[in-house]
Amino acid sequence: MYGFYFNALSLLSRKRGAALALKVFSVPRKGRLSKLQESYLDTARKQKIAFEDGLIQLYHWKGDGDTILLFHGWESNAWRWKYLIEPLQEKGYNIIAIDAPAHGASDGEQFTAVKYSKVITTVIELYEPQIVIAHSVGAMATVYQESQHQHKFINKLVLLGSPNRLEVIFKGYQQLVGFNSKVYQELDNLLKSLYGFHIEEFETATFARDIKTPALLIHSPADVIVPIDSLQPIAEALENSETFVSETGGHSLHTPEVVSRIIAFLEN
């Protein structure tokens, strides 16, 4: 029904059809906090920072060690890091996680990788972390913003299940919803006018070429959300990176072997 409506609207105005397609694409269907998730996140010190169209929720588990920032992905929230936060706490790290725009307890109704990248830049410059760990679209947005704003105080990056090409995501959206090539082309033009790039130009591997920070990339062949073929191009583009292929965990990568590999990388 969405595809039919986008196609019909584009007969009257291609720009309006594309604008609606982008709006629908940018609204998360889930990712707000449940009571169980709130209960765990209440163990952190909470604060909010202002950003564009509202407030961003931050969670802080204080430690005496290096500061780690955690950035989740699409339709998720800071609770997804529970499996990793507890082992990191045992190591004494100073841990900060956020809820992305339109997710968790943060304000907003729409989410894009570019918008998220701006939030990530703001939080990085506020806390000056030694380590950044990011998942899925959070990883893509982290690489993008770091290619635009090099932060020399970041010593290590950990990227989990990162997508590579935005084009793959948008082609999947087109196929799922069923809008035609004219809507897709106008959607491409709209992104160029809004953000300065065409869909095929937004590629994690391209942005990664400018990053010299030591990085660990983790992916799983069982990932049905972001295929593992995204891993190698990003790894090859990052000058100082290593990879770990987890046979378990799928896209979430919530497994003991992943946690162990992350901690080993941080302590090396």
Side-chain angles (χ1 to χ4, degrees), residues 52-124:
E52 289 186 355
D53 54 355
L55 299 175
I56 300 297
Q57 181 70 60
L58 283 78
Y59 307 90
H60 185 192
W61 292 266
K62 185 173 175 55
D64 297 325
D66 287 349
T67 296
I68 298 179
L69 293 189
L70 303 172
F71 299 116
H72 67 78
W74 172 253
E75 294 188 337
S76 185
N77 56 60
W79 181 85
R80 67 100 48 215
W81 296 110
K82 180 179 184 293
Y83 77 99
L84 182 59
I85 288 171
E86 292 173 343
L88 291 175
Q89 283 183 291
E90 293 177 5
K91 298 291 183 178
Y93 287 104
N94 186 46
I95 305 162
I96 299 163
I98 76 167
D99 289 332
H103 292 78
S106 290
D107 292 340
E109 296 182 355
Q110 295 190 12
F111 172 96
T112 66
V114 174
K115 182 175 185 177
Y116 197 14
S117 74
K118 294 177 182 178
V119 172
I120 289 171
T121 300
T122 298
V123 177
I124 285 176

Side-chain angles (χ1 to χ4, degrees), residues 26-46:
S26 303
V27 176
R29 296 166 298 172
K30 57 184 179 180
R32 294 299 184 180
L33 295 174
S34 68
K35 292 296 183 182
L36 174 65
Q37 292 170 343
E38 286 180 354
S39 177
Y40 173 72
L41 293 172
D42 282 343
T43 65
R45 183 178 69 85
K46 297 181 181 179

Side-chain angles (χ1 to χ4, degrees), residues 1-24 178-180 182-183 186 190:
M1 291 179 66
Y2 272 122
F4 176 81
Y5 186 61
F6 298 160
N7 292 339
L9 185 60
S10 70
L11 294 175
L12 301 174
S13 170
R14 288 190 183 182
K15 289 184 178 180
R16 288 178 61 191
L20 184 59
L22 181 59
K23 181 178 180 180
V24 171
F179 56 83
N180 60 38
K182 293 180 180 179
V183 175
E186 196 58 43
L190 179 59

Side-chain angles (χ1 to χ4, degrees), residues 84-230:
L84 182 59
I85 288 171
E86 292 173 343
L88 291 175
Q89 283 183 291
E90 293 177 5
K91 298 291 183 178
Y93 287 104
N94 186 46
I95 305 162
I96 299 163
I98 76 167
D99 289 332
H103 292 78
S106 290
D107 292 340
E109 296 182 355
Q110 295 190 12
F111 172 96
T112 66
V114 174
K115 182 175 185 177
Y116 197 14
S117 74
K118 294 177 182 178
V119 172
I120 289 171
T121 300
T122 298
V123 177
I124 285 176
E125 294 178 352
L126 180 62
Y127 288 99
E128 297 190 355
Q130 288 77 42
I131 300 160
V132 173
I133 303 176
H135 177 248
S136 192
V137 176
M140 175 183 252
T142 294
V143 172
Y144 173 68
Q145 71 79 34
E146 200 60 24
S147 73
Q148 307 295 306
H149 309 276
Q150 294 285 315
H151 297 101
K152 295 186 182 299
F153 48 78
I154 298 177
N155 298 325
K156 291 186 177 180
L157 290 172
V158 179
L159 308 175
L160 304 168
S162 177
N164 182 32
R165 297 169 58 220
L166 186 63
E167 183 178 19
V168 173
I169 298 173
F170 269 92
K171 287 291 187 181
Y173 175 50
Q174 180 187 24
Q175 183 177 11
L176 176 67
V177 176
F179 56 83
N180 60 38
S181 59
K182 293 180 180 179
V183 175
Y184 186 91
Q185 182 58 55
E186 196 58 43
L187 185 58
D188 184 46
N189 294 336
L190 179 59
L191 263 68
K192 178 65 175 179
S193 66
L194 289 174
Y195 304 119
F197 59 82
H198 290 291
I199 293 173
E200 70 272 13
E201 294 172 339
F202 199 92
E203 184 177 53
T204 306
T206 300
F207 306 136
R209 294 172 189 156
D210 298 322
I211 298 174
K212 311 303 179 187
T213 308
L216 170 64
L217 281 67
I218 301 179
H219 219 115
S220 172
D223 190 335
V224 298
I225 305 298
V226 179
I228 196 170
D229 60 11
S230 294

